[in-house]
Amino acid sequence: MSKMALSASIILRQGLRCGRIIQASNTAMVSQLRPLHDDQAVLPRLPVPQLDDTLNKYLKTVKPLVTDEEFHLTEEIVKKFGASGGIAHRLQNKLINRAEATENWLSDWWMNAAYLDCRGPLVVWSSPGLVFPLQEFRTLDDQLNFAAKVIAGTLDYKIMVDQKTVPVERMGKDTLDMSQYFKILGTCRIPGVTRDTIQFYGQSVHPPKHIVVAHNNHFFKIDVYGKHGEPLNVRQLVHQLRNVVERSTHPAIPVGILTTQNRNVWGKAYKQLRKDKTNKASMEEIQRCIFLVALDGPVVNPTGNIMTDAALSCVHGYGPQGYAGNRWYDKTLQFIIGKKGAVGMTYEHTPAEGPPVANLMDHIMDYMADVKKDLQLPAIELSKPQRLMFNINPDLKQDIEEAKVALESLVGDLEMTCFKFTGFGKNFIKSQKLSPDSFIQMAIQLAFYRIHNEPGAHYESASTRKFLYGRTETIRSCSVESVTFAKAMLDKELPVNEKTAALRSAIEAHKNYVKDAVNGLGVDRHLLGLKLAAIEAGMDVPTLFMDVGYLRSSHMRLSTSQVPARCEAFMCFGPLVPDGYGCCYNPRSDAIFFGTSAFNSSPETDSATFREALEQSLLEMQDILLRDRVKANL
Ligand code: COA
């Protein structure tokens, strides 16, 4: 295989879980929206890190994951790559020029490379689920009432977005970029045959005034504003939802299931669908709507763990045998309201990270708790929900059947274990003068080492929203120090003070990486930039990106993220690689919510085993800290 073909094949293979990949992209620009608050244009620009700093940091992250011999080779490759006057310096200059010419040198590249160019399915591989606090519905009324309040709460939130009054978030002293808040309502990803696009209808001259409700695979358009622009109140929304349910008692052909397909396949089917005027009009209503609400039936194939059941419903809707046809996965926001109380949402990741979506959920929960909101006046003149029709010809029927088969295998492969860890929460960790996030990350490292007896490359998302249009940087949580710590914990002979010293040192190393990452000085986005600069200039992809050190350290066996929320909720997603784990958490004062996942097809991984190892690790870490303190006081 030629060098160029080899690089292309590596790049394509890496295009698995979006948002967390490094993949080729061409340079077409994705237009930016202005930040939520006009004065945010003064936010600092994402820096281009110093080349030597990145390469040194990179080597440190490779070390724990390769043999001495492999590391020596990686060192040689890095040395050659970064030699003065060499290729890396030429690429670095290109990045510096790009940073001078754009508001954010990475953001357009990132949107394409991490999302729109990815050809894998959105389901499992890209779109996270967000499980709301568990509910218990006894009747259809309960379900519809809850759904109506979710709609009303979101419309209430939309007022804040439209009026630019969402409180500006901060990280320490720094103001964060709020532009993602602008991008989640009225947005939809549009499938393409080789690359998708994204449409921000909410920001158009005629923004949408409707939502779409899915029930039994039927889609209905509901106008949610009255004659004078006033939102429908909860009672009116319940009335509209009941009308939808009454008019869709039997399942329709699940056209929505096409959105679960590989993007090239869906892109082709989409072109066919659009040839029919009725289909085109119906799809446009779905794409343009403010958000979608899926009214589901009961849990399918319950696991015995209601948190896990709710997570699966948010991630894949229990597949073709369940409610996967009762979705439109291209839509940024889809609320899912199960018949018995499994509720949450699935969100398409292209326009935003978890925090704006989790904030919206917190707002909805506050809205529901505020009884005064029930007194909202009715809107004038309700129009009947409009059924969105589809004409399905035999070719499309065949496409739907193929989508079912593909999804069935994906659903069969994913397994999840979601739980509330009640041993302790942030308060205990803070009382030890340790960072809760770094502590949890080290517990995840230890859990992995405990199961596999080797370290796993480990991705954690860090926010770079300090910078204009900032998104994320990777925290490479696996370090020389994290491995020393894991080994120390598993060594029965080691005195407790040495274990706590290893823990504190691993946490310190992680915290330092976090500091760099949130300041735009991580390894991964800079390397991505250098690679894309080479591709854009028509150059060969540098050897560094084909080296075992690079491949091993970016084969993220642990894909993790903290998404905090004020309510008892958690986010969840599939693993990034076939032999990996997904692990998302919401640390609260006295507990931690976890959503974990793995693939059945990997004989090495199992999310229930991971949960056990993680809980054991957390408890043992608490134990050594407490024992060490007692000893110190003796
Ligand atoms: N002693 C006592 N308290 C400490 C401490 C210490 N040594 N270190 C930290 N704390 C406190 C902090 O002050 C903070 O207090 P608060 O709860 O009053 O705010 C709290 O502990 C949490 O800090 P920490 O656990 O260190 O993490 P963080 O909140 O700074 O989060 C990241 C770290 C990396 C998760 C965060 O910076 C980030 O980037 N989040 C976004 C991730 C994202 O986008 N995810 C979505 C992807 S879809």
Side-chain angles (χ1 to χ4, degrees):
M1 203 184 274
S2 76
K3 202 165 151 200
M4 202 58 187
L6 177 66
S7 13
S9 109
I10 289 169
I11 289 159
L12 284 174
R13 269 189 283 125
Q14 285 170 342
L16 285 175
R17 177 150 156 76
C18 303
R20 293 163 182 244
I21 46 92
I22 295 178
Q23 196 192 38
S25 157
N26 73 28
T27 54
M29 290 286 175
V30 179
S31 63
Q32 291 288 0
L33 291 169
R34 300 309 308 166
L36 182 54
H37 302 266
D38 297 337
D39 57 358
Q40 289 212 311
V42 299
L43 282 176
R45 302 295 192 258
L46 184 72
V48 177
Q50 296 284 330
L51 192 55
D52 285 353
D53 285 353
T54 297
L55 295 179
N56 288 334
K57 223 174 279 171
Y58 166 67
L59 280 174
K60 274 174 132 179
T61 67
V62 170
K63 194 155 182 36
L65 296 161
V66 293
T67 62
D68 287 350
E69 207 179 315
E70 288 167 337
F71 187 67
H72 183 65
L73 184 67
T74 301
E75 273 185 317
E76 290 299 311
I77 288 171
V78 166
K79 207 163 139 196
K80 200 164 156 207
F81 179 63
S84 95
I87 180 167
H89 287 271
R90 274 167 43 215
L91 297 174
Q92 176 78 353
N93 284 338
K94 287 184 190 299
L95 284 192
I96 291 168
N97 291 341
R98 185 178 166 94
E100 277 165 10
T102 55
E103 288 177 307
N104 182 315
W105 64 265
L106 179 63
S107 56
D108 288 323
W109 264 347
W110 181 247
M111 185 90 106
N112 289 329
Y115 302 103
L116 301 175
D117 283 340
C118 290
R119 304 287 81 203
L122 300 181
V123 176
V124 176
W125 287 111
S126 182
S127 297
L130 175 62
V131 177
F132 285 19
L134 295 171
Q135 308 294 317
E136 204 184 322
F137 303 148
R138 293 212 167 83
T139 61
L140 177 66
D141 277 356
D142 289 348
Q143 184 187 13
L144 299 188
N145 247 305
F146 189 89
K149 286 183 177 173
V150 167
I151 297 167
T154 309
L155 295 178
D156 192 57
Y157 189 78
K158 185 172 181 302
I159 295 172
M160 292 205 300
V161 173
D162 291 345
Q163 295 179 349
K164 302 185 176 183
T165 54
V166 177
V168 175
E169 288 175 278
R170 310 187 78 85
M171 186 185 281
K173 292 194 294 311
D174 297 304
T175 302
L176 298 187
D177 175 275
M178 297 294 285
S179 57
Q180 292 178 27
Y181 283 82
F182 248 168
K183 298 177 182 175
I184 57 175
L185 295 164
T187 302
C188 195
R189 181 162 162 165
I190 313 294
V193 176
T194 54
R195 167 186 283 175
D196 293 357
T197 50
I198 185 153
Q199 293 291 338
F200 299 105
Y201 300 102
Q203 301 305 313
S204 61
V205 185
H206 300 292
K209 303 280 182 213
H210 69 279
I211 63 166
V212 167
V213 175
H215 181 247
N216 261 334
N217 308 335
H218 299 261
F219 295 97
F220 289 84
K221 172 183 176 182
I222 298 184
D223 288 322
V224 285
Y225 295 96
K227 208 171 165 188
H228 306 296
E230 67 288 18
L232 269 57
N233 69 16
V234 170
R235 198 174 42 77
Q236 291 177 312
L237 288 166
V238 170
H239 175 84
Q240 298 294 63
L241 294 173
R242 193 180 301 286
N243 181 283
V244 164
V245 170
E246 285 167 0
R247 291 164 61 201
S248 52
T249 50
H250 297 291
I253 294 177
V255 62
I257 216 155
L258 290 169
T259 64
T260 68
Q261 261 288 23
N262 165 292
R263 304 302 294 173
N264 291 349
V265 177
W266 170 215
K268 278 188 206 135
Y270 175 73
K271 273 177 121 180
Q272 289 307 315
L273 261 172
R274 270 180 68 88
K275 285 186 182 157
D276 177 290
K277 271 191 192 152
T278 304
N279 295 343
K280 182 169 177 263
S282 294
M283 287 196 294
E284 281 175 3
E285 295 293 9
I286 297 174
Q287 290 164 339
R288 282 179 46 78
C289 75
I290 306 170
F291 54 89
L292 190 145
V293 176
L295 297 174
D296 281 4
V299 171
V300 175
N301 300 327
T303 59
N305 171 341
I306 179 72
M307 287 173 70
T308 302
D309 290 340
L312 292 169
S313 116
C314 291
V315 170
H316 56 46
Y318 315 120
Q321 312 299 330
Y323 311 107
N326 206 39
R327 311 266 188 278
W328 199 266
Y329 283 98
D330 297 351
K331 195 66 202 159
T332 304
L333 292 187
Q334 294 191 88
F335 294 100
I336 294 154
I337 318 290
K339 194 181 177 77
K340 300 285 181 194
V343 295
M345 66 159 85
T346 175
Y347 87 92
E348 201 290 299
H349 212 324
T350 309
E353 261 64 60
V357 179
N359 270 348
L360 164 61
M361 173 193 59
D362 278 333
H363 183 86
I364 293 169
M365 298 316 290
D366 289 348
Y367 182 92
M368 287 195 188
D370 184 349
V371 285
K372 281 189 284 192
K373 300 284 183 186
D374 282 347
L375 302 176
Q376 188 194 335
L377 292 172
I380 300 163
E381 281 187 28
L382 280 190
S383 51
K384 199 169 143 191
Q386 178 196 338
R387 187 190 297 277
L388 301 176
M389 306 294 289
F390 283 95
N391 295 321
I392 307 294
N393 65 27
D395 284 350
L396 286 165
K397 252 192 194 143
Q398 180 61 27
D399 289 337
I400 289 171
E401 287 312 308
E402 285 167 16
K404 283 185 189 173
V405 173
L407 183 62
E408 192 69 63
S409 106
L410 200 52
V411 168
D413 202 9
L414 183 76
E415 44 109 351
M416 300 187 90
T417 301
C418 305
F419 60 100
K420 178 180 178 180
F421 170 76
T422 52
F424 55 86
K426 280 195 292 187
N427 286 353
F428 165 74
I429 308 170
K430 285 189 198 175
S431 75
Q432 300 299 307
K433 306 217 172 345
L434 295 170
S435 146
D437 185 68
S438 299
F439 185 95
I440 296 167
Q441 284 288 313
M442 290 308 104
I444 295 171
Q445 269 289 301
L446 174 55
F448 188 95
Y449 202 96
R450 192 185 288 283
I451 300 169
H452 300 284
N453 207 23
E454 62 176 5
H458 183 159
Y459 180 117
E460 183 192 9
S461 319
S463 171
T464 50
R465 286 173 53 211
K466 274 185 184 183
F467 303 101
L468 187 62
Y469 301 127
R471 296 280 306 247
T472 57
E473 172 59 278
T474 306
I475 301 163
R476 292 185 162 212
S477 292
C478 178
S479 61
V480 168
E481 292 84 353
S482 74
V483 179
T484 306
F485 154 67
K487 286 182 178 161
M489 288 299 286
L490 298 174
D491 181 346
K492 292 199 174 69
E493 306 302 321
L494 208 67
V496 73
N497 61 331
E498 289 186 35
K499 292 187 184 204
T500 52
L503 169 61
R504 287 185 188 279
S505 154
I507 286 181
E508 190 58 26
H510 181 265
K511 199 70 213 167
N512 286 336
Y513 206 115
V514 173
K515 243 184 252 160
D516 281 348
V518 298
N519 284 309
L521 303 176
V523 164
D524 289 80
R525 303 299 179 267
H526 190 195
L527 290 183
L528 172 69
L530 295 171
K531 178 155 88 169
L532 294 180
I535 292 170
E536 195 174 89
M539 293 154 69
D540 277 355
V541 173
T543 319
L544 179 136
F545 297 101
M546 285 163 250
D547 167 46
V548 67
Y550 179 79
L551 298 179
R552 191 89 47 78
S553 68
S554 45
H555 182 77
M556 297 295 182
R557 296 195 65 189
L558 286 156
S559 169
T560 70
S561 193
Q562 179 188 150
V563 179
R566 277 186 283 113
C567 58
E568 296 214 328
F570 62 95
M571 197 166 264
C572 49
F573 40 70
L576 188 56
V577 295
D579 57 348
Y581 300 94
C583 178
C584 195
Y585 50 93
N586 172 14
R588 298 172 57 74
S589 301
D590 296 305
I592 309 168
F593 282 78
F594 284 100
T596 73
S597 61
F599 287 118
N600 285 315
S601 53
S602 164
E604 291 182 45
T605 56
D606 170 58
S607 65
T609 310
F610 185 69
R611 170 195 180 160
E612 219 172 276
L614 185 53
E615 292 201 289
Q616 188 181 354
S617 300
L618 287 163
L619 291 172
E620 286 181 1
M621 287 160 70
Q622 179 189 42
D623 179 60
I624 57 157
L625 288 169
L626 294 177
R627 277 200 289 139
D628 196 24
R629 204 164 55 178
V630 170
K631 221 170 144 197
N633 290 337
L634 282 178

